[in-house]
């Protein structure tokens, strides 16, 4: 994984994505974009209520880039809204995975 540069702090971003986001490859594309952005660990998982939860840890600017992608509409399916919270990173993820 790449390291934070320029004094960028590492953060934990948890996002809940609402809309038509299950059964459309959303988690796969989320993982692909997290890897493209780089420096991120975490996961994307389907929730029982139809949302996808995305947990990403790494440099704040990288997490913000992933959050922006989740909101742009350039995603599979249809995103009706994204809610996020920010926290301190917990670590323990080997990479960015699909769960």
């Amino acid at each position: 994984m790449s390291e934070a540069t320029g004094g960028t702090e590492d953060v934990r971003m948890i996002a809940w994505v609402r809309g038509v986001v299950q059964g459309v490859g959303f988690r796969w594309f989320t993982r692909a974009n997290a890897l493209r952005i780089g420096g991120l660990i975490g996961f994307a998982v389907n929730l029982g209520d139809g949302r996808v939860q995305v947990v990403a840890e790494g440099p704040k600017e990288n997490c913000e880039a992933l959050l922006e992608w989740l909101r742009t509409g350039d995603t599979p399916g249809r995103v009706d809204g994204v809610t996020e919270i920010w926290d301190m990173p917990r670590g323990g993820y080997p990479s960015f995975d699909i769960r």
Side-chain angles (χ1 to χ4, degrees):
M1 291 289 141
S2 63
E3 295 181 11
T5 58
T8 301
E9 64 176 318
D10 280 359
V11 297
R12 175 183 179 93
M13 188 262 312
I14 304 140
W16 294 271
V17 185
R18 301 180 309 281
V20 180
V21 291
Q22 291 189 11
V24 294
F26 192 89
R27 292 175 302 156
W28 188 91
F29 277 95
T30 299
R31 178 180 182 272
N33 272 279
L35 296 176
R36 177 186 58 79
I37 292 165
L40 296 174
I41 57 173
F43 61 89
V45 62
N46 285 339
L47 299 178
D49 63 5
R51 295 178 299 165
V52 169
Q53 180 182 24
V54 178
V55 175
E57 293 188 2
K60 185 172 186 187
E61 61 191 14
N62 299 34
C63 288
E64 288 172 341
L66 183 61
L67 182 62
E68 179 65 23
W69 176 81
L70 291 170
R71 289 187 162 137
T72 61
D74 186 28
T75 60
R78 184 189 77 241
V79 174
D80 293 335
V82 180
T83 303
E84 89 280 350
I85 62 172
W86 297 87
D87 201 354
M88 299 295 296
R90 299 180 188 169
Y93 306 112
S95 61
F96 198 97
D97 298 315
I98 296 171
R99 293 188 176 172

